């Protein structure tokens, strides 16, 4: 193989590597089709540490349960100092209803509920489609 051929081969290999890198960076992620919103009201007098433990524990489920496509959460915003029915909201997305059911039946989620339900006054779960 002469020097000119080797040069072209190196250029082609580098271009292929670059193309694969770009494809990997921009390939579409799993598309969420279903959403679940979990609202929690804590009992009066619950310490901030217990609320933070709850928030961190729920967030950790994303790493334990592969069916969860996306997860965000936050404390509710009370307009004009009004009393809110719920204190925190967890927003999860899934690809299918079956994935949502697997999440709800998972050992990790059941353990999370068992560890935290003692500080909950009320919960609300809403499942819905995601409109395109």
């Amino acid at each position: 193989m002469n020097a000119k051929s080797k040069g072209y081969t190196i250029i082609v290999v580098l271009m292929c590597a670059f193309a694969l890198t770009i494809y990997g960076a921009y390939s579409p992620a799993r598309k969420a089709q279903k959403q679940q919103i979990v609202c929690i009201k804590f009992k009066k007098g619950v310490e901030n540490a217990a609320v933070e433990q709850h928030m961190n524990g729920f967030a950790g489920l994303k790493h334990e349960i592969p069916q969860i496509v996306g997860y965000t959460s936050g404390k509710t915003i009370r307009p004009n100092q009004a009393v809110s029915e719920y204190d925190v909201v967890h927003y999860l997305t899934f690809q299918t209803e079956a994935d949502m059911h697997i999440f709800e039946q998972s050992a990790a989620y059941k353990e999370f509920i068992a560890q935290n339900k003692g500080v909950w006054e009320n919960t609300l779960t809403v499942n819905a489609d995601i409109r395109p």
Side-chain angles (χ1 to χ4, degrees), residues 8-18:
Y8 285 130
T9 303
I10 290 172
I11 291 172
V12 169
V13 168
L14 290 175
M15 293 297 280
C16 288
F18 178 72

Side-chain angles (χ1 to χ4, degrees), residues 14-113:
L14 290 175
M15 293 297 280
C16 288
F18 178 72
L20 288 173
T21 302
I22 295 299
Y23 174 75
Y26 293 104
S27 62
R30 295 186 304 161
K31 185 159 174 67
Q33 300 291 323
K34 307 295 178 193
Q35 59 190 335
Q36 183 175 82
I37 302 166
V38 180
C39 305
I40 306 288
K41 176 71 172 179
F42 294 101
K43 292 179 179 176
K44 287 189 187 288
V46 170
E47 305 257 341
N48 281 340
V51 173
E52 284 305 312
Q53 179 181 347
H54 161 95
M55 297 299 283
N56 293 333
F58 208 123
L61 293 173
K62 167 118 175 67
H63 304 293
E64 295 183 46
I65 303 170
Q67 286 76 19
I68 300 172
V69 173
Y71 169 79
T72 56
S73 67
K75 294 183 179 179
T76 57
I77 299 171
R78 299 177 181 117
N80 300 323
Q81 302 300 321
V83 176
S84 178
E85 241 182 285
Y86 297 96
D87 298 313
V88 298
V89 176
H90 302 278
Y91 178 74
L92 302 106
T93 55
F94 303 90
Q95 286 184 306
T96 65
E97 284 185 56
D99 287 346
M100 198 180 299
H101 183 69
I102 291 168
F103 161 74
E104 292 169 341
Q105 298 303 315
S106 70
Y109 185 57
K110 287 181 177 183
E111 182 180 339
F112 171 80
I113 291 172

